[in-house]
Amino acid sequence: MNTYDFLKSIAAAAGGWLAAALMPAAPYGMVCTLMVIADVVSARRLAHRLGRQMPTKRQQLKFSSARFGRTVSKLCRIYGLLTLAALLQHTFGGDWCDLLKWSAAIVCFWQGCSIIENEASANASPWAKIAGKILVDKTSRHLGIEPEDLAEIIKIDDEIKSKNPKNQENNC
């Protein structure tokens, strides 16, 4: 057996071990990826709502390559966490605690909170006001506008819509 064949068999064994260790993480990775995509969609919906309420700030709300880079970076960190959890569980035989499930659950909770924050920000619904008291309003972070100021803008926008008869016909 020459050196090339020996290195090839070591690489194949290491690759097989790595694949066997990481394959249980694949479904959790897909679930976490779907949660991140749902967060991006809810952030786009928030940007659309804010753009309608404040047309002068639309340029700050556009999707950019820097924001896409942050999303890719977030996905890489999540995949790194799941990889670490899978390797620890495979190496130490974690029957007492399923690290993959806990890691994925924490990521899904984190993304779920972010989705609720996005949907509650710049929203005049009663549930959004209650959620706004519990969660962070992302409007001030993205645009530098305090939630109280935004509430006044929403009231003015609602008054304008209620006075315009065309809007009342379209809402039916």
Side-chain angles (χ1 to χ4, degrees), residues 19-32:
L22 294 181
M23 283 311 286
Y28 299 109
M30 287 190 286
V31 168
C32 291

Side-chain angles (χ1 to χ4, degrees), residues 63-169:
F63 193 71
S64 65
S65 59
R67 289 192 177 128
F68 179 72
R70 280 187 285 193
T71 302
V72 170
S73 172
K74 184 190 301 183
L75 279 172
C76 288
R77 286 182 281 152
I78 290 169
Y79 296 153
L81 172 70
L82 292 176
T83 301
L84 179 65
L87 290 175
L88 285 173
Q89 190 166 337
H90 183 75
T91 303
F92 297 115
D95 291 336
W96 56 274
C97 178
D98 194 355
L99 292 175
L100 272 172
K101 285 183 183 176
W102 279 101
S103 300
I106 289 169
V107 168
C108 289
F109 178 75
W110 165 40
Q111 292 302 311
C113 286
S114 180
I115 291 168
I116 292 171
E117 288 171 356
N118 286 336
E119 293 299 324
S121 296
N123 195 340
S125 301
W127 73 268
K129 292 176 184 173
I130 294 169
K133 294 186 184 299
I134 300 168
L135 301 170
V136 174
D137 194 327
K138 291 190 173 185
T139 309
S140 59
R141 187 181 337 157
H142 291 295
L143 296 176
I145 298 172
E146 293 303 317
E148 295 82 25
D149 298 336
L150 187 64
E152 292 174 19
I153 293 170
I154 291 172
K155 286 180 189 174
I156 293 170
D157 188 43
D158 288 342
E159 290 173 5
I160 292 170
K161 284 181 182 177
S162 66
K163 291 179 183 177
N164 190 351
K166 287 184 179 178
N167 286 341
Q168 290 177 352
E169 292 172 6

Side-chain angles (χ1 to χ4, degrees), residues 8-24 87 90:
K8 192 165 104 176
S9 37
I10 288 178
W17 179 84
L18 193 61
L22 294 181
M23 283 311 286
L87 290 175
H90 183 75

